[in-house]
């Protein structure tokens, strides 16, 4: 821990603390008392099956030994419907896990008792524009936003988080994020592990100061790279150990980190059986040597501990990978300070050093371990088929021969989509999409030549899930790419896709049912707050 990197980091934090931005991260504030005032009205003709109240407030939780940690916590309560619909977390910042069923009509009252404006967004859910948590709907202290929507999504592990203008990264980091699990009949008809054998796991990174308080630095380097914490937390807990029985499990993983990308792999080299992604189950399981999981993405693993002895342990790690290009265009662009650097210097190690984290991006470290504590049902067989999935066809797209291209770029403390940064209510002609159409969209991360910094960008589209139909990478980036490509999961419904430097990813996305504004952005939350976000107008 006494490395020069760390000393440098301390200096940055000190610097950040004396600037207004750093000092304003965790202000003390008298909480609003009693009543909340709704900014909108429940509709009379919407009869909810489930009604939930979520209250955001400042809390102090016993997260580490010693002093409690001040966090921003969401507390949930079921007002109508099954009590299992809301599961609050204990001793941590994590927002409650919501568990609902496809077809249910849900009404959610969001009460804001925080010292800041805020709004929650339902990541991956297909809901009307005014229920989607666009930053323009942020509510103030003492206010309530009423959400009403029908759950149209298929079974899957979705999530929800703050989406406040310029503050998404800090608010999510402080605790405003939780799981939103949707169940349906098709999934239940399968013989997948359920109950205690189905385990949702939220992977995040955080830094703490000596008083056990969350540390967040938005010094320039942290904003350009994305914030990297010094410790890995799983389900909001450090040093996480999952006790299991000797049998098959369904591990459902969300990368809920601000910017950290994981290359998931088992410590004993076992392969990973992937059964699901962002929008639920695949058609059939796929086996990977490792799996890349970028911020916002989910991956579901079927893991059989049936042949492991009681008392044994295995660790899920993040394996080393390269996160920026070798040579040519590096951190500062061609010919810059670090352009044309030597191999090794230009890889994950360098990126990590630049961000000052003791857990560099692309380094090797442990995420959590699994300990077999008792015998179970023993070995079982991985199901051959999961749920059927209709493949979207490019010929059905309204723009089959004219893909909508979204160019990703960063320079001079700004981040762009097609050369534009985020502005509220600033839809341009190429951002208007006719409702009830299927569209081909290309995310271009310097495929034809890098323009500015070479960085991976996990791109996310609000609204309906999409399918990835093509990945292309240019010759300059093929070395970097080789360290991640075997872990990019193919198939399934997605709402977030990792676009590596030099890569162009083509997706097919339906824009059905709802008109209005829907965001698209990089899910590196620091990039998002730097402006790498825009609205699409569906009409
Ligand atoms: Cu996960 Cu626009 O968000
Ligand atoms: Cu989203
Ligand atoms: Cu990005």
């Amino acid at each position: 821990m006494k490395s020069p990197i760390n000393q440098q980091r301390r200096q940055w934090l000190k610097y950040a603390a004396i600037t207004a931005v750093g000092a304003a991260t965790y202000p003390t504030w008298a909480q609003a008392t009693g009543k909340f005032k709704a900014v909108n009205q429940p509709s009379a003709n919407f009869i909810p099956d489930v009604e939930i109240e979520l209250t955001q407030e400042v809390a102090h939780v016993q997260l580490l030994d010693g002093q409690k940690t001040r966090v921003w916590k969401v507390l949930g309560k079921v007002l109508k419907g099954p009590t299992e619909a809301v599961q609050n977390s204990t001793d941590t910042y994590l927002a409650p896990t919501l568990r609902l069923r496809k077809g249910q009509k849900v009404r959610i009252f969001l009460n804001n008792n925080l010292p800041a404006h805020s709004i929650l967004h339902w990541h991956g859910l297909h809901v009307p524009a005014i229920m989607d948590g666009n930053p323009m709907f942020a509510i103030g202290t003492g206010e309530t936003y009423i959400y009403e929507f029908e759950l149209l999504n298929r079974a899957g592990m979705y999530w929800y988080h703050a989406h406040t203008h310029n503050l998404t990264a800090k608010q999510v980091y402080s605790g405003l994020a939780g799981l939103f699990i949707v169940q349906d009949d098709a999934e239940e008809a399968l013989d997948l592990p359920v109950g205690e054998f189905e385990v949702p796991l939220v992977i995040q990174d955080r830094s703490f100061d000596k008083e056990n308080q969350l540390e967040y630095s938005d010094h320039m380097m942290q904003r350009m790279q994305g914030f990297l914490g010094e410790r890995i937390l799983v389900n909001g807990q450090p040093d996480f150990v999952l006790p299991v029985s000797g049998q098959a499990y369904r591990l459902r993983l969300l990368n809920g980190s601000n910017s950290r990308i994981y290359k998931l792999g088992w410590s004993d080299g076992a392969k990973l059986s992937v059964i699901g992604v962002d929008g639920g189950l695949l058609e059939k399981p796929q086996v990977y040597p490792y799996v890349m999981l970028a911020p916002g993405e989910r991956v579901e693993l079927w893991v059989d501990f049936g042949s492991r002895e009681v008392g044994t342990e295995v660790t899920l790690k993040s394996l080393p990978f390269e996160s920026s290009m070798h040579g040519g265009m590096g951190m500062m662009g061609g010919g810059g300070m670090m352009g044309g650097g030597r191999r090794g210097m230009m890889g994950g190690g360098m990126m990590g050093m630049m961000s000052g984290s003791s857990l560099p991006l692309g380094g090797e470290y442990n995420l959590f371990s699994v300990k077999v504590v008792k015998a179970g049902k023993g070995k079982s067989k991985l199901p051959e088929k999961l749920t059927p999935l209709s493949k979207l066809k490019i010929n059905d797209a309204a723009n089959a021969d004219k893909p909508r291209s979204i160019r990703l770029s960063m320079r001079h403390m700004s981040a762009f989509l097609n050369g534009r940064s985020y502005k509220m209510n600033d839809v341009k002609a190429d951002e208007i999409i006719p409702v009830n159409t299927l569209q081909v969209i290309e995310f271009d991360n310097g495929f034809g030549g890098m323009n500015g910094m070479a960085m991976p960008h996990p791109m996310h589209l609000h609204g309906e899930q999409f399918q990835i139909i093509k990945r292309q990478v240019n010759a300059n980036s093929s070395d970097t790419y080789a360290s991640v490509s075997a872990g990019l999961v193919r198939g399934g419904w997605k709402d977030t896709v990792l676009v590596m430097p030099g890569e162009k990813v083509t997706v097919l996305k339906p824009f059905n049912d709802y008109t209005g504004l829907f965001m698209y952005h990089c899910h590196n939350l620091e990039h998002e707050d730097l402006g790498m976000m825009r609205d699409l107008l569906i009409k």
Side-chain angles (χ1 to χ4, degrees):
M1 293 298 277
K2 283 260 162 58
S3 67
I5 302 167
N6 233 34
Q7 278 167 23
Q8 196 182 6
R9 188 177 161 277
R10 293 286 157 215
Q11 277 162 19
W12 282 342
L13 287 178
K14 239 200 246 145
Y15 169 79
I18 55 169
T19 65
V21 200
T25 310
Y26 299 103
T28 41
W29 188 279
Q31 296 190 22
T33 43
K35 282 255 194 95
F36 293 92
K37 210 173 120 264
V39 297
N40 58 343
Q41 290 305 308
S43 41
N45 51 7
F46 182 91
I47 315 293
D49 303 299
V50 185
E51 256 183 342
I52 292 168
E53 182 185 65
L54 297 177
T55 304
Q56 305 185 138
E57 58 191 33
V58 176
H60 294 84
V61 294
Q62 195 70 58
L63 185 49
L64 304 173
D65 289 340
Q67 215 165 309
K68 287 191 172 178
T69 305
R70 177 190 163 85
V71 300
W72 284 12
K73 183 132 182 165
V74 181
L75 278 169
K77 200 162 107 192
V78 176
L79 303 178
K80 179 187 176 185
T83 48
E84 310 85 73
V86 172
Q87 203 192 329
N88 284 298
S89 69
T90 43
D91 296 336
T92 188
Y93 54 79
L94 216 64
T97 297
L98 308 184
R99 219 175 248 275
L100 294 149
R101 285 193 78 81
K102 181 179 177 176
Q104 277 177 334
K105 288 192 171 143
V106 189
R107 178 180 287 148
I108 299 173
F109 297 89
L110 171 67
N111 302 327
N112 184 12
N113 204 8
L114 289 171
H117 274 71
S118 185
I119 193 72
L120 290 180
H121 156 65
W122 321 101
H123 180 125
L125 295 185
H126 181 39
V127 300
I130 57 163
M131 301 302 163
D132 192 48
N134 188 290
M136 68 172 66
F137 303 127
I139 53 171
T141 312
E143 291 184 331
T144 298
Y145 196 94
I146 304 172
Y147 297 90
E148 293 173 338
F149 50 84
E150 187 182 340
L151 277 174
L152 302 178
N153 286 66
R154 68 202 288 262
M157 195 171 81
Y158 305 93
W159 64 303
Y160 63 101
H161 58 79
H163 219 307
T164 318
H165 185 39
N166 280 153
L167 293 169
T168 297
K170 273 184 201 163
Q171 295 196 348
V172 169
Y173 187 77
S174 305
L176 303 186
L179 293 171
F180 196 122
I181 295 176
V182 177
Q183 300 172 304
D184 69 11
D185 298 342
E187 183 184 80
E188 278 162 15
L190 297 168
D191 195 19
L192 291 172
V194 293
E196 62 175 295
F197 308 110
E198 178 226 317
V199 187
L201 297 161
V202 182
I203 308 176
Q204 294 169 311
D205 54 344
R206 295 287 184 271
S207 291
F208 298 91
D209 66 14
K210 285 200 229 57
E211 277 82 50
N212 288 351
Q213 301 310 304
L214 286 167
E215 253 180 343
Y216 182 85
S217 155
D218 53 7
H219 184 266
M220 179 190 94
M221 212 37 107
Q222 296 267 351
R223 292 173 70 194
M224 290 297 272
Q225 304 288 331
F227 178 85
L228 296 171
E230 294 184 321
R231 294 183 77 160
I232 300 298
L233 279 76
V234 173
N235 293 344
Q237 301 291 344
D239 309 313
F240 189 82
V241 180
L242 178 69
V244 299
S245 313
Q247 64 181 77
Y249 276 74
R250 177 182 185 181
L251 302 185
R252 316 181 76 178
L253 279 63
L254 159 71
N255 182 349
S257 313
N258 278 28
S259 85
R260 190 179 285 278
I261 300 167
Y262 303 99
K263 178 175 173 176
L264 309 173
W266 291 111
S267 54
D268 63 357
K271 296 224 157 101
L272 293 88
S273 299
V274 175
I275 57 168
V277 288
D278 304 351
L281 295 172
L282 299 172
E283 260 185 313
K284 49 175 190 265
Q286 299 177 10
V287 178
Y288 291 86
Y290 59 86
V291 168
M292 298 306 297
L293 195 67
E297 286 188 304
R298 285 84 73 205
V299 71
E300 304 208 13
L301 307 175
W302 186 91
V303 196
D304 198 352
F305 301 108
S307 53
R308 291 184 187 267
E309 305 262 313
V310 173
T312 55
E313 225 176 292
V314 63
T315 301
L316 191 71
K317 302 176 73 96
S318 191
L319 304 171
F321 66 94
E322 305 283 340
S323 56
S324 67
M325 279 194 279
H326 300 300
M329 303 288 193
M331 283 275 310
M332 301 296 176
M337 199 169 105
M338 275 160 287
R342 284 166 288 133
R343 269 200 91 107
M345 282 300 283
M346 289 303 297
M350 194 53 174
M351 295 284 281
M353 272 167 65
M354 293 310 298
S355 65
S357 172
S358 57
L359 283 186
L361 181 67
E364 181 172 354
Y365 49 87
N366 295 342
L367 301 177
F368 64 90
S369 50
V370 182
K371 193 166 182 190
V372 184
V373 293
K374 55 177 194 262
K377 282 189 280 187
K379 259 178 96 70
S380 47
K381 247 185 87 211
L382 177 66
E384 268 165 40
K385 282 215 178 80
L386 299 165
T387 43
L389 195 148
S390 47
K391 261 229 171 69
L392 299 172
K393 287 195 271 327
I394 193 156
N395 287 334
D396 295 335
N399 63 336
D401 46 7
K402 216 170 150 273
R404 289 169 185 271
S405 175
I406 300 173
R407 278 176 295 107
L408 322 177
S409 61
M410 289 191 83
R411 54 171 63 236
H412 311 311
M413 289 301 286
S414 297
F416 308 97
L417 299 171
N418 281 336
R420 305 174 191 126
S421 281
Y422 180 69
K423 246 206 230 148
M424 228 179 258
N425 272 317
D426 180 46
V427 175
K428 295 286 188 271
D430 60 334
E431 294 174 313
I432 299 173
I433 292 185
V435 68
N436 296 324
T437 59
L438 179 70
Q439 300 279 332
V440 195
I441 298 174
E442 285 175 359
F443 295 110
D444 184 337
N445 192 5
F447 177 67
M450 190 55 64
N451 174 27
M453 271 173 73
M455 287 209 59
H457 299 290
M459 294 304 301
H460 170 54
L461 291 155
H462 283 211
E464 267 178 286
Q465 302 271 318
F466 56 78
Q467 292 179 2
I468 301 168
I469 56 166
K470 197 159 54 173
R471 285 182 174 273
Q472 292 162 273
V473 68
N474 66 31
N476 276 341
S477 323
S478 53
D479 277 9
T480 312
Y481 199 64
S483 72
V484 305
S485 58
L488 299 167
V489 176
R490 300 169 297 273
W493 290 101
K494 295 282 294 171
D495 54 53
T496 308
V497 60
L498 176 60
V499 188
M500 291 297 290
E503 194 180 27
K504 181 161 87 177
V505 180
T506 310
V507 307
L508 267 176
K509 179 172 163 34
F511 290 87
N512 295 327
D513 310 318
Y514 302 128
T515 56
L517 292 178
F518 289 90
M519 326 214 65
Y520 62 109
H521 59 88
C522 178
H523 222 287
N524 175 319
L525 298 182
E526 281 72 28
H527 289 179
E528 176 190 324
D529 286 343
L530 267 185
M532 207 164 192
M533 172 162 85
R534 297 286 301 170
D535 277 313
L536 288 174
L537 176 61
I538 319 304
K539 70 174 199 184

